[in-house]
Amino acid sequence: MISIKNWQESLIELKQQGIEVPNFDVNKLKENGQKHPVWLHFGGGNLYRGFHAEIAQRLANQGELTSGVVVCETFDNEVVDQAYHAYNNDFLEVVMHEDGTLDKRLIAVTADSFYCNPQNEASFSRVVRYFEDPTLQFTTFTITEKGYGLKDPNGKFFRIVAEDIQNGPEKAQHTMSIVASLLYKRFLAGELPIAMVSTDNFSQNGKRFLDSVLTIAKEWQNNEFVPEAFIAYLENEEKVSFPWSMIDRITPNPSQSVQKILEEDGFTDLDIIHTQKHTNIAPFSNTEVVHYLVIEDQFPNGRPVLEKAGVIMTDRNTVDKADTMKVTTCLNPLHTALAVTGCLLNYKSISEEMSDQDLVSLIKEIGYYEGLPVVENPGIIDPKQFIDEVIKRRLPNPNIPDTPQRIASDTSQKVAIRFGETIKKYLAKDKDAGQLTFIPVAIAAWLRYLLAVDDNGEGFQPSPDPLLEDLQKQLTSIEIGVQDQQKIHEAVMPILANETIFGSNLYKAGIGEKIEKIFTEMLTGIGAVRKTLHQYVTEFGGK
């Protein structure tokens, strides 16, 4: 039997099973990282464990990284206690091929982990010490897109942010406020240089990251918590950079089927952890083979040779093109379309949806025929080949236990990028997006999803979304069978006209009425979603 907690005692058995183990001095790497890390990572969830940690370990195996990564979790303290500390910060990474084979590697590159919140004084003081250390070169972040948001759709600061502004850097609660407070400590330590790298999955992430931190810092300056020189420090790229990035690797929640395979291989202590804050994590991560990470090469305090671990280092413009290609055309819009329609049609996995010809036709139309004509080739990745890989190889992979329910989370925070950017490009190109058909189908399906009734007429629980309650309240008057056009218009108009949600007013864009029509067709009764979807892909597809 092999325990993740004591894996070093089972090295011979691990190697006999073909499991990749570290070929560096694990204890020395961790000791160095605990004393003087060069790399901190914020967000200890599955994406870090299924990608960033692998990158770090590849570098360590080559002698290019000699101090372990320190993980800072700002959302869920149970993740640190149950998934990191309980296993000496080690875990098993499982890479799942399309043919069912699994690559397994023992990841032991995480030096330490902390719940990074000022309320936890002992842990937070350690993180502060790292930010005051000249050795620290960069931080990476996977805190999800909503982690950077400071205001509600009405432009008002969230309550927690407003409290942070009034209370100052010593009592920060919101992640962006916590980061700003840590950077203030680094400023006070001698204006030390650092790169703050968002690797979260949305366009121009570095810009939004900088804007959020600056917003907090300027409010603190107005309240005389910090000097003007701190603002100048944050705005000086030679001191503090916020590189843009594009990241792509599907790292779903831990799979029970993977757990079962590992247990049959002799592993113990692999129970999937479900925290009170609804985080799903385990002593193992499962992920796909394909991966991309493109980062703007702006690191004022130096960096490891990330290229040796497969990271593409380039300029900001190229990163932006690569990210725009993926997020607005080649992957993310397809994912969201599959997510909301999959929930309505009672699918439990993305791979199962890929056997549904109507759904495959829908995403092909959105990707190949509506997205590709207006996306710019970044040069480092071919857009059509990228979509080919997504549709033919990645999404159908039955070994990726990803669900439409997971992907449907926070859809209100995603549609402005995943669909809104393509709509904007049609507006810029033709001053009218009316020629679009399948992006409107996907948006109509999202409205239908918000009713929390599937295509069989059965209720379901929509995935978490910060605007879910408000959006559902707006649609209270709509029920299956309602065909009152005026009532439908009055209900959906405030949503479709909301530029915060979609990036533009969809009526001014020329597709608001079309979305209303498709939504109405999806309301006619049981099976109307399927009927409408099939009708559109049959009558309008491939044109």
Side-chain angles (χ1 to χ4, degrees), residues 112-165:
D112 212 340
S113 54
F114 299 96
Y115 180 53
C116 183
N117 189 297
Q119 294 179 358
N120 190 322
E121 188 174 342
S123 288
F124 193 70
S125 64
R126 290 284 300 276
V127 180
V128 168
R129 181 169 66 81
Y130 292 141
F131 266 78
E132 294 172 337
D133 190 337
T135 305
L136 180 62
Q137 294 181 327
F138 69 108
T139 64
T140 47
F141 287 75
T142 53
I143 56 174
T144 77
E145 183 174 358
K146 63 183 177 182
Y148 302 83
L150 302 178
K151 298 180 179 179
D152 63 23
N154 298 317
K156 184 178 179 180
F157 283 119
F158 294 127
R159 178 191 56 80
I160 190 173
V161 176
E163 290 177 357
D164 287 347
I165 290 170

Side-chain angles (χ1 to χ4, degrees), residues 492-513:
V492 304
M493 187 274 290
I495 299 174
L496 299 182
N498 191 323
E499 295 187 18
T500 301
I501 294 177
F502 290 103
S504 61
N505 181 323
L506 298 188
Y507 293 95
K508 292 181 180 179
I511 58 173
E513 290 81 3

